Amino acid sequence: MDARQNITSDWQDSVNVLLGIALFISPWALNYATEGSAALNAHVVGAVITLMALAALFAFRVWEEWISAVLGAWLIVAPWVLNFSGNAAATRTSMVIGIAAIVLALWSANEHTTGHMGAGG
């Protein structure tokens, strides 16, 4: 299967790429770039989610999905662990993208491991 087919058949990973990019740029887009721990967390976790999703698109391994799911769980608790829960934009972004990353990663892993992928997947 070529890369274009992967991007459309593995749509969950394609969406996770976009979520990772959105998380990475969110400190600037949502005006919390000066919130040190929130911004650094968004940059690092956003970059890793993006890289894991890209890796899954080109050479799927179930562990890539598990890393994305764990990062999603981290995003949900990060506002309290890193003490930026007082920033509504950073907290909301972290939680929404965290939940979406978990759902999409587990969905993709399930489709790959249970054989529910379309022809060639």
Side-chain angles (χ1 to χ4, degrees):
M1 182 183 300
D2 71 15
R4 274 188 309 211
Q5 287 174 313
N6 278 354
I7 290 170
T8 56
S9 67
D10 298 344
W11 66 269
Q12 299 94 337
D13 293 316
S14 298
V15 173
N16 258 347
V17 168
L18 297 175
L19 287 174
I21 292 169
L23 181 61
F24 186 86
I25 65 171
S26 68
W28 298 296
L30 300 175
N31 241 0
Y32 66 91
T34 59
E35 182 80 39
S37 60
L40 180 61
N41 188 61
H43 295 316
V44 171
V45 177
V48 175
I49 286 174
T50 301
L51 292 174
M52 288 296 100
L54 285 170
L57 283 171
F58 294 102
F60 180 84
R61 301 288 184 263
V62 75
W63 59 265
E64 295 158 343
E65 303 300 340
W66 287 111
I67 289 173
S68 291
V70 167
L71 289 172
W74 165 252
L75 286 172
I76 293 170
V77 300
W80 293 273
V81 174
L82 298 178
N83 200 26
F84 64 85
S85 62
N87 185 311
T91 299
R92 191 170 28 250
T93 301
S94 188
M95 292 186 67
V96 168
I97 291 179
I99 291 167
I102 291 169
V103 169
L104 292 167
L106 294 178
W107 191 343
S108 179
N110 182 58
E111 282 193 354
H112 280 86
T113 57
T114 61
H116 289 119
M117 295 299 295

